[in-house]
Every structure is written in C-alpha cells, then in structure tokens.
Amino acid sequence: MNNIQIKDISKYLGQEVSIMCWVYNKRGSGKLNFLEIRDGSGFTQVVAEKDSLTADDWDLTDKIGLESSAKVNGVVKKHPAKEVYEIGLKSIELLGVSHEFPIGKKEHGPDFLFENRDLYLRSKTPWAVLRIRDQVFRSITQFFFEEGFVRFDTPILQPTSCEDTTQLFSLKYYEEAIMYLTQSGQLYLEAGIASLGKAYDFGPVFRAEKSKTRNHLSEFWMMDAEMAFFDQKASEDLQEKLVKRIINDVLTGCSKELELLQRNTEILKKTVESDFIRIKHFDAKKLVEEKYNLKVEYEDDMTTEEEIIIGNHFNIPVFIEDYPMAVKSFYMKSYTDSRNMLRAINADLIAPEEAREIIGGSQREENYAKLKSEVVKRNYSLEDYNWYLDTRKYGTVIHSGFGLGLERIVRWLSGVHHIRETIPFPRTTVLKKP
Amino acid sequence: MNNIQIKDISKYLGQEVSIMCWVYNKRGSGKLNFLEIRDGSGFTQVVAEKDSLTADDWDLTDKIGLESSAKVNGVVKKHPAKEVYEIGLKSIELLGVSHEFPIGKKEHGPDFLFENRDLYLRSKTPWAVLRIRDQVFRSITQFFFEEGFVRFDTPILQPTSCEDTTQLFSLKYYEEAIMYLTQSGQLYLEAGIASLGKAYDFGPVFRAEKSKTRNHLSEFWMMDAEMAFFDQKASEDLQEKLVKRIINDVLTGCSKELELLQRNTEILKKTVESDFIRIKHFDAKKLVEEKYNLKVEYEDDMTTEEEIIIGNHFNIPVFIEDYPMAVKSFYMKSYTDSRNMLRAINADLIAPEEAREIIGGSQREENYAKLKSEVVKRNYSLEDYNWYLDTRKYGTVIHSGFGLGLERIVRWLSGVHHIRETIPFPRTTVLKKP
C-alpha cells in the first residue's frame, strides 16, 4: 500500500492508499459519514460507507472527535466533473484522540483566536497564509542570489540606539551595558557592501510602538538590501523586478492557497504585467488635493489616507519619490528643489488595494562631510556614528538600498485584513501566551 | 565599453572593460605598478605601465591610498599558464579617497580586528567565509522546500522562560511583563506541524553564557526542523541527507572561497560519499575508555574532549544516539535500557576535524500523561507549559525534530578557528562597537 501525502493524491487515482492525518471536520448520518482530513500538505475528504466497513471502523467514523489524528486507508476517487479527489474509506485507525477541541464551527472573536493561537494555526486561513509567506521568503532568497547578492546577517543586539530610542526595546547585556533590539540592519549592511558589493539581510526587527491597529506588530520580519555603485534609479528598477518576481511566484506557486483565501488576483496579475508608476512626492500631494479635494500638507510625510488614495488611483504599485528631507532619515542623499526645499533622493513603494507602503528606499549620502553635518544637525551622538562615518572615510562609493516588510507584502498578496494573520505567533502591545 | 564585475572577467579576454572597485593592496616601483582590486564579486590585479598612461593616471596609481574606491579601464589579459586574469590599465579615475586605512599588511591581534570589525570585513577571509555562510543558508532553504517543509518563523520574544532562565536575556515588554529572547523555536514548531505537517524555522537565538571560548557566541543563527509522523530513524536519515546536500553545494558552489581559505577538503569529500556512523552513547563512551585509555562517566553528557576523539576516530560525521535522559531535555521520548537506565531516543551529530556537535535532535514524547509527568518531575511551571501540552491533547502524533547551528557548520566547512569569524558582527560576552 502507498503511504501518500494529500498533495500527491491525483497521482493515485483508483489506487488504494493510506494517509496519516488530522480530522478537521465531519458530517453525515445514517449510512454515510464524511470526514474532512488534513495532513499538512493539503486537504481532502474521506467518504465512509457503513456497509463496506467493519462495525468498529464505522463506529469510529461516527464518534471520532475533531482534531483527532488517524491513519486512513482507502481508494482514491475523482469527482466526475471537477478536479476534486476523495478517499473511499476501507479502514481507519485512531492515532491520537481529541475531545472538545476549543475551536469549532461556530464563529469565534479575534481575541479568542489570538489567545488560542497555537490551536487556531490548524485552521485553513493560517495554513494558506503561512504557505504564501514561505513562498515570498523563497522568492526573495532566490532573487537576490540570482542578482549576485550575498546574505549578510546583521546583528539583532545593537549597542547604539539609532535615531529615536522611544520605540526601541532595550535589555541589560551581561554586566556591561544596555543593548537595543534592532529596528533595521541597514547601517551594518553599508559596511558590508565594501566587502561584498551587494548584500542583504532578512530577519526579525522590533518596534516598541503602542499602536493597536491592524498594521502594527512589535516583532516582524524585514529584508534590507544595499548595493554599491547603484543610484536611486537603478535601485527602483531592481525593486520593481523583485516585487514582480515575488508576485509571479506566488500566483504560480500558491494558486491553491489564493483560491482557498478567495483572493481576487486581478490587480496582482495587472501588477506583474505593468510598469510601476513613478511620481514625485509633490505631485502625489497635488493629485490628492486636486482630484480628491482633500487638504494636504506639502511639507509632511504621506498620510495613511493619502497612501490609500494613491494606491487606489493607479491600482498598481507606485513609487512616490523625493520626500521632504525633514521627514526622512539622516543617511539619505538629498538635493534642493526648484522651490528651495531640501528633498531626499528616495522612494516609498505604495501597493494598491489599501496595502500601503511595502518598500522604503533611498540613495545614501556618500559624502563624509555632508553626512557628518546631518548627524550633528539632528543632535545624534557622533561617538555612536563614528564607525558608520568611517564607511565614507575609506573609499566611499555611490550606493543605494531599500527595505521590504515581509508581513506587509504577505498581507497584500494573501488579502487578509489584519497583519496579525501573516506571522505564526504575533507580538502586539497586548501580551498573549504562548 | 563593458562595465563588468570581476567574477565575469574571463568572458572578456582581450576586450576593454571598466570595473568599479576598491584598491586593497599595491606594489611596484619605477615603471610598473600593481594594484590588487576588489569589487565584491571577486579579486583581480591591475597592471599599470608608466609609458602607456597619462602622467596624472600614473601618478594616481603611485599615490592611491589603500581602500580607495576607483573606476579602472583596461584590457583583460590572461596569465600564460594559469587560469588567472588581470587588467592592463588604460585609465583610472579616483572615486572615493582613503588615507591611512587602519588595517594594513602588518599582523593585527584579534582584539584590534574585533574592535574594527566593520573595516576588517573587507579582508579576504571574512569575504570568503560569509559567502560560504550564504551558500549554506541557501542550501538549507532549498532542501527543506524540496522535502515539503514550510518555513515557520517562531517568535524571538517569548513570554515564558523554558527550562533554565540563567542563560536567558530578558527585557521589559511595554508595561505588562518580562519577555525572554528565544533560545529555540522548537516548542512553537511542534504546534506548527499540526497545521503544516513539516515545518522549520531559521533565525537568531540568544544565550547569555559567560564562556569566553572559540565556541561561544551570545547571538547566533539556529535552524529548527520538526516533522509529524517521523520517528527518530527517519529524522536521522533526513539529517544525513541535509548535511550531505550542504557540503556538496559548498564544494561545488564555493570552490574559489575554499581555495582562498586554503581549506583541505579531503574529509568533506569523504563525508559526502560515506554513510554516517551511528553509535550508541554507551558504546561511544566505551570506545573512548578502551581505545583511548580515558576515564569516562557513563551517566554524563559527552565532554568536549570525547566529542573531538569520536570525531577524529571516524573522520566522518557520527550520530551518537540514546543519551541518558537525565542529561537531556524534558520533551524527548525515552525508554529504559537493559541496564535499567532511562535513555532518550535522540542523537547528536558530531562532525570530524574538531567541529564537534553540529546537529542535536530527538523523537518527541507524544504521550500527554508522560510528557506532563516529566514537566512536573523537573519542577517546571505547568501553567507555562499548558499550551505545549495541548499539542498532545488534541490529536497527538509521533514526531521528531532537530536543530542545526549555522555558525557551527560554517566554521567546520570553512575551516576557520574561531566561531567569531562566521558571522558579520559577532556578539560575545565582551561588548564591542559597532
């Protein structure tokens, strides 16, 4: 007999197989029971006919509790019209009992599911979303390899607090000092490219932000890429290629998962085939003001509402370029525009369908004196930044980079509402075990 | 003119090319200067002849400081006998000056290099080791995909302190509570496999251990894999396949890097071709006692010295199986042996060449009552472990898993002495900036 995984079921049409699985749902009565089973690789249905089973086996299909584990043996059958396969049961063995599984058919509130996260993960939505997350991770890994990048794991524990300490988690490091949990590995990557040319990291980052919205996690995964000899234009072209690659891989590799999530993929398909929009920050503000009759602040960052409007307006990803330097980070290269405003040479990539910012990037200031004066102007500690300034002291080069938020892009692609759905055990301002 | 990367130089033999690079070494006198250059993708030599250059360009090749960045133009030439390519310089442009680069030709102590880590990374050894690390990471990612695993990022911030708190870093999490930095995601993965069947994580873990040895880091990268319906034997077979895959990929994908590190690859090649050794803990101790005349403690863990002896004895990787349960973790499945000792159903994989343990794994106790009694026996908090015990309450299944230390295996494969060499910015008990 073939021990198979559900993902391979179509290959065994007409054959007898056995599957190790969990029973996640059941219905039936009288002479027929239907068990919905899951083995991690997929889902299928087992049809149990009273007349073709032993009394014990029939009894088990009647009484088995949801989430019990079992070994089922039976023959693979196909729906006459659809590409749907099922198992005609011949025998069943109970492996691990389960009684009164806390998550049932009835609707549960998000709090209940959050508190029982370890059990909720067995549901179809997290199964599908986590598989999309896995695909996105692999696409990124493969893309950067093909583009000549080297993975460069930047440290989680950082001895200096960059920029704003109010959103940092800190801890005591042995007897010696305070360490901070990373918010970004970018500055370390900038040292790395002098060795490796093109480098990226991809790991957890932390933000102690007390916002309770569907957009916020205190622990999430961030990919930072940094490229020597790239200007902002070259960086944007690479970002566009990366995003298209990710979406294409998800559309082809996760069609089953997208279907299960009932994701309308029209805009994703359009995104793969279109050139991304590039618009200046000034023009984006103006568009919102003139076409949507909203009052805008030209010197401010894009607001949440404005990002959503821009995303909906174009319905494909949009690079919003050249933000006012005053609202952007000290390390960005800048220029003075015709209205005498200092502007960063940067872009945030806004995704449609209310997904908002999925990438932020910029060209970096490569001039030692200019970078140092920006550090001083912002009252950052020169002592802390000396090593970083050294990257400009010894053979500085034009370079650019960007950061991509994994959960942000997974939420967009999977179409789930809350960012919490996109990571196995979310960390938010409300502490939940486990 | 072709703007090329050094890795592609052989494709341009006889052609004029330009390369953006750093000058990492130079020599010469009179009428010939030799600049050793690096662009991240590789290394090559530029030959500057006084008679074929402008006075300014010749002067620049004379005076250029080490680690300056430059754009060099010239013709690709090949060494008559060897597969070595170089550039006959036609012109050179200085991009970023560098004067008195702190790391020169003279020998520096490890402390100096550690303190100037961001600059030391430009040396050839870290360049090669980090590229091997990248290859190992990609091999693991690809292997698990091919084997049907889903990546499942377990949380870094964990609300409960598993086992021993003395080696945990802790931090204040908002106003609510203490969180601990993860030492392993295994328990979370065990919840994950009820959804995904086979799952793995691969991220940073932390150990507040005050050991200052060449084996210890306070922050390092760990891969945990967990498989539903796998017993320990199936798990060991998978581990052997994984390790062979990694080594094979490194031997083929990183031959240049291994050569640069002067790594003798004989034992690595033998490892790929051989069946790994499987030996019981009892027999391993006995071997050390009888063949090497050392006093051993049969009820203890393997010592560092014993692991090195076993590794050298076989000169290929060795699974040491069935440790005394008393020295192993509470979640391991166990049995009572013929000498009435409780033994874990586990194995540590010991690598040769003094690399010691690279993988630790076990079958997990799937029985709710037995697992609970082990938690109680060890005086762990039942409240903390309730969610974990739930994985056995609702459809428990036979399952096994293992953890692989990235830096441990990278050190072995690259042949560097200190584990510090295997990660870009090492965190040890001595705090060094950056």
Side-chain angles (χ1 to χ4, degrees):
Chain A
M1 177 138 31
N2 298 303
N3 285 297
I4 71 157
Q5 290 194 285
I6 293 171
K7 71 178 169 65
D8 302 320
I9 195 167
S10 64
K11 296 177 199 160
Y12 295 90
L13 183 60
Q15 295 182 49
E16 191 172 341
V17 298
S18 73
I19 300 175
M20 315 281 264
C21 61
W22 288 267
V23 176
Y24 76 90
N25 222 335
K26 60 173 203 172
R27 63 196 164 82
S29 67
K31 306 229 166 210
L32 272 182
N33 282 328
F34 300 91
L35 307 180
E36 312 265 355
I37 64 167
R38 171 191 85 233
D39 72 347
S41 80
F43 302 85
T44 192
Q45 176 173 269
V46 171
V47 182
E49 288 183 59
K50 186 172 182 178
D51 292 346
S52 57
L53 292 172
T54 65
D56 281 354
D57 279 4
W58 170 255
D59 203 43
L60 180 56
T61 66
D62 240 9
K63 291 180 183 152
I64 195 164
L66 293 189
E67 289 302 321
S68 296
S69 52
K71 182 177 181 178
V72 300
N73 304 298
V75 175
V76 177
K77 295 175 178 174
K78 186 176 172 297
H79 187 284
K82 289 183 282 184
E83 271 299 308
V84 173
Y85 296 83
E86 60 182 29
I87 306 281
L89 189 67
K90 296 193 80 168
S91 67
I92 179 169
E93 181 190 341
L94 181 65
L95 299 176
V97 297
S98 168
H99 293 301
E100 296 172 13
F101 189 69
I103 300 174
K105 283 181 200 166
K106 72 178 170 77
E107 280 290 314
H108 297 286
D111 280 352
F112 179 84
L113 296 179
F114 194 21
E115 272 161 41
N116 291 278
R117 187 79 185 180
D118 49 308
L119 302 176
Y120 168 63
L121 289 172
R122 302 188 185 194
S123 314
K124 282 188 171 178
T125 296
W127 179 87
V129 175
L130 292 176
R131 288 172 66 95
I132 290 172
R133 182 183 168 105
D134 174 68
Q135 174 64 68
V136 172
F137 190 93
R138 282 184 291 106
S139 294
I140 291 172
T141 303
Q142 187 59 24
F143 176 84
F144 280 116
F145 169 62
E146 289 168 10
E147 295 288 333
F149 283 68
V150 173
R151 191 182 161 94
F152 182 89
D153 294 312
T154 56
I156 306 301
L157 299 173
Q158 301 190 353
T160 54
S161 58
C162 294
E163 311 177 49
D164 179 9
T165 61
T166 58
Q167 295 192 349
L168 289 174
F169 292 108
S170 64
L171 57 85
K172 191 158 172 279
Y173 191 73
Y174 299 108
E175 281 82 37
E176 288 195 64
I178 297 295
M179 285 279 223
Y180 301 91
L181 299 190
T182 181
Q183 287 202 329
S184 162
Q186 180 201 315
L187 305 193
Y188 293 92
L189 273 179
E190 288 185 63
I193 58 170
S195 171
L196 299 162
K198 291 183 273 192
Y200 76 105
D201 67 12
F202 200 171
V205 297
F206 304 84
R207 194 159 294 172
E209 196 173 355
K210 279 192 197 143
S211 306
K212 281 192 198 177
T213 78
R214 72 182 187 94
N215 303 309
H216 286 90
L217 289 169
S218 300
E219 174 183 331
F220 52 101
W221 281 62
M222 176 72 80
M223 188 289 302
D224 296 294
E226 201 72 27
M227 300 81 72
F229 311 117
F230 270 56
D231 62 12
Q232 175 63 15
K233 187 187 173 306
S235 175
E236 285 178 29
D237 290 347
L238 189 76
Q239 291 167 47
E240 179 167 344
K241 194 174 171 189
L242 169 63
V243 171
K244 285 177 174 170
R245 165 64 175 271
I246 292 170
I247 297 177
N248 207 42
D249 285 352
V250 168
L251 287 173
T252 54
C254 300
S255 54
K256 208 168 52 191
E257 291 78 2
L258 292 168
E259 198 182 311
L260 189 154
L261 294 166
Q262 301 181 293
R263 177 75 168 104
N264 178 334
T265 56
E266 199 183 324
I267 287 177
L268 298 180
K269 284 176 184 149
K270 192 178 147 206
T271 293
V272 176
E273 289 153 12
S274 312
D275 291 335
F276 289 6
I277 307 293
R278 282 153 175 84
I279 186 173
K280 299 292 177 195
H281 175 271
F282 179 86
D283 297 320
K285 288 276 187 183
K286 201 168 164 189
L287 188 154
V288 172
E289 185 178 51
E290 293 183 351
K291 291 239 176 183
Y292 296 90
N293 298 311
L294 282 176
K295 184 169 160 44
V296 299
E297 298 293 340
Y298 281 90
E299 303 195 4
D300 281 0
D301 209 339
M302 299 298 289
T303 65
T304 302
E305 192 185 8
E306 288 164 6
E307 286 186 355
I308 290 172
I309 287 172
I310 293 290
N312 286 338
H313 182 83
F314 293 104
N315 259 336
I316 55 166
V318 182
F319 287 107
I320 302 182
E321 299 174 327
D322 298 10
Y323 282 58
M325 187 63 188
V327 304
K328 285 294 178 185
S329 299
F330 77 98
Y331 49 72
M332 293 189 181
K333 196 171 167 72
S334 60
Y335 72 98
T336 305
D337 73 4
S338 58
R339 294 172 194 85
N340 210 29
M341 185 188 281
L342 197 62
R343 291 198 173 268
I345 301 176
N346 84 311
D348 285 355
L349 181 63
I350 309 299
E353 304 183 283
E354 305 200 6
R356 299 177 52 216
E357 184 193 328
I358 52 170
I359 291 182
S362 77
Q363 189 162 334
R364 320 306 191 187
E365 181 53 73
E366 82 276 12
N367 182 284
Y368 179 83
K370 279 190 195 160
L371 185 63
K372 188 173 173 180
S373 88
E374 193 69 32
V375 169
V376 171
K377 198 166 104 186
R378 299 195 186 210
N379 284 316
Y380 300 162
S381 151
L382 265 182
E383 199 201 344
D384 283 353
Y385 286 99
N386 253 336
W387 72 272
Y388 178 63
L389 288 165
D390 276 357
T391 58
R392 275 65 170 175
K393 201 170 176 179
Y394 303 109
T396 191
V397 298
I398 286 175
H399 64 291
S400 299
F402 60 96
L404 173 149
L406 177 60
E407 289 76 12
R408 283 289 188 95
I409 201 162
V410 170
R411 184 178 59 176
W412 175 36
L413 301 187
S414 61
V416 294
H417 179 73
H418 201 298
I419 196 111
R420 206 161 58 185
E421 293 285 342
T422 62
I423 188 166
F425 290 91
R427 296 294 176 239
T428 66
T429 53
V430 188
L431 183 66
K432 297 283 181 190
K433 292 188 183 186
Chain B
M1 177 136 36
N2 298 303
N3 285 297
I4 72 158
Q5 289 194 286
I6 293 171
K7 72 177 168 66
D8 302 321
I9 194 167
S10 65
K11 296 178 197 157
Y12 296 89
L13 183 60
Q15 296 181 48
E16 191 172 339
V17 299
S18 72
I19 300 175
M20 315 281 265
C21 61
W22 289 268
V23 176
Y24 76 90
N25 222 336
K26 60 173 202 170
R27 65 196 164 83
S29 66
K31 305 226 165 212
L32 272 181
N33 282 328
F34 300 91
L35 307 181
E36 311 266 355
I37 64 167
R38 169 191 87 232
D39 72 347
S41 80
F43 302 85
T44 193
Q45 176 173 268
V46 171
V47 183
E49 288 183 58
K50 186 171 182 178
D51 292 346
S52 58
L53 293 172
T54 65
D56 281 354
D57 280 3
W58 170 255
D59 203 43
L60 181 56
T61 66
D62 241 9
K63 292 181 181 151
I64 194 164
L66 293 189
E67 289 302 322
S68 295
S69 52
K71 182 176 181 179
V72 300
N73 303 299
V75 176
V76 177
K77 295 173 179 176
K78 186 176 173 296
H79 187 283
K82 288 183 283 187
E83 271 298 307
V84 172
Y85 296 82
E86 61 183 28
I87 306 281
L89 188 68
K90 296 192 79 169
S91 68
I92 180 168
E93 180 189 343
L94 181 65
L95 300 176
V97 296
S98 168
H99 293 301
E100 296 172 12
F101 190 68
I103 300 174
K105 284 181 200 168
K106 72 178 170 73
E107 280 290 315
H108 297 285
D111 280 352
F112 180 84
L113 296 178
F114 194 22
E115 272 162 41
N116 291 279
R117 187 78 186 182
D118 49 308
L119 302 177
Y120 168 63
L121 289 172
R122 302 187 185 194
S123 314
K124 281 188 172 179
T125 295
W127 179 85
V129 175
L130 291 176
R131 287 171 67 94
I132 290 172
R133 181 183 170 105
D134 174 67
Q135 175 64 66
V136 172
F137 190 93
R138 281 184 291 107
S139 294
I140 291 172
T141 303
Q142 187 59 24
F143 177 83
F144 280 116
F145 169 62
E146 289 168 11
E147 295 289 334
F149 283 69
V150 173
R151 191 182 161 93
F152 182 90
D153 294 311
T154 55
I156 306 301
L157 299 174
Q158 300 191 353
T160 54
S161 58
C162 294
E163 311 178 47
D164 180 8
T165 61
T166 58
Q167 295 191 349
L168 289 173
F169 292 107
S170 65
L171 57 85
K172 190 158 173 278
Y173 190 72
Y174 299 107
E175 281 82 37
E176 288 196 63
I178 297 294
M179 285 277 225
Y180 301 92
L181 298 191
T182 181
Q183 287 201 330
S184 162
Q186 180 201 315
L187 306 193
Y188 293 92
L189 274 179
E190 288 185 64
I193 59 169
S195 170
L196 299 162
K198 292 184 271 190
Y200 76 106
D201 67 12
F202 200 171
V205 297
F206 304 85
R207 195 159 293 174
E209 196 173 355
K210 279 192 196 144
S211 306
K212 281 191 198 177
T213 78
R214 71 182 186 95
N215 303 309
H216 287 89
L217 289 170
S218 301
E219 174 182 331
F220 52 102
W221 279 63
M222 176 72 79
M223 188 288 303
D224 296 295
E226 201 72 27
M227 301 80 72
F229 312 116
F230 271 55
D231 63 12
Q232 176 62 15
K233 188 187 172 306
S235 176
E236 284 177 29
D237 290 347
L238 189 76
Q239 292 166 47
E240 178 168 343
K241 194 173 171 191
L242 168 64
V243 171
K244 285 177 173 171
R245 166 64 175 272
I246 292 170
I247 297 177
N248 208 41
D249 285 353
V250 167
L251 286 173
T252 52
C254 300
S255 55
K256 207 166 54 191
E257 290 79 2
L258 293 168
E259 198 183 311
L260 189 155
L261 294 166
Q262 300 180 295
R263 176 75 168 104
N264 179 333
T265 56
E266 199 184 324
I267 288 177
L268 298 180
K269 284 176 185 151
K270 191 177 147 207
T271 293
V272 175
E273 289 154 12
S274 311
D275 290 335
F276 289 7
I277 306 294
R278 281 153 175 83
I279 186 173
K280 300 291 176 196
H281 175 272
F282 179 87
D283 297 319
K285 289 275 186 184
K286 201 168 164 191
L287 189 154
V288 171
E289 186 179 50
E290 293 184 352
K291 291 238 175 184
Y292 296 89
N293 297 310
L294 281 177
K295 184 169 161 45
V296 300
E297 297 293 341
Y298 281 90
E299 302 195 4
D300 281 0
D301 209 340
M302 300 297 290
T303 65
T304 301
E305 193 185 7
E306 288 163 6
E307 286 186 354
I308 290 172
I309 288 171
I310 294 290
N312 286 338
H313 181 83
F314 293 103
N315 258 337
I316 55 166
V318 182
F319 286 107
I320 301 183
E321 300 174 327
D322 298 10
Y323 282 58
M325 188 63 188
V327 304
K328 285 293 177 186
S329 298
F330 77 98
Y331 49 72
M332 293 189 182
K333 195 170 168 72
S334 59
Y335 73 97
T336 305
D337 72 5
S338 59
R339 295 173 193 84
N340 209 29
M341 185 189 280
L342 197 63
R343 291 199 173 267
I345 301 176
N346 84 311
D348 284 354
L349 182 62
I350 310 298
E353 304 183 283
E354 305 200 6
R356 300 176 51 215
E357 184 194 328
I358 52 170
I359 291 182
S362 77
Q363 190 162 332
R364 319 307 190 187
E365 181 53 73
E366 82 277 12
N367 182 282
Y368 178 84
K370 279 190 194 159
L371 185 63
K372 186 172 172 180
S373 87
E374 193 69 33
V375 169
V376 171
K377 200 165 102 187
R378 300 196 184 209
N379 283 318
Y380 300 162
S381 151
L382 265 182
E383 197 201 343
D384 283 353
Y385 286 98
N386 254 337
W387 73 271
Y388 178 64
L389 288 166
D390 277 357
T391 58
R392 276 64 169 176
K393 200 170 178 177
Y394 302 110
T396 192
V397 298
I398 286 174
H399 64 291
S400 299
F402 60 97
L404 173 149
L406 177 60
E407 288 77 12
R408 283 290 187 93
I409 201 162
V410 170
R411 184 177 60 176
W412 175 35
L413 301 186
S414 62
V416 294
H417 179 73
H418 201 296
I419 196 109
R420 205 161 60 185
E421 292 286 342
T422 62
I423 188 166
F425 290 90
R427 296 293 176 241
T428 67
T429 54
V430 187
L431 184 65
K432 298 283 182 190
K433 292 189 182 184

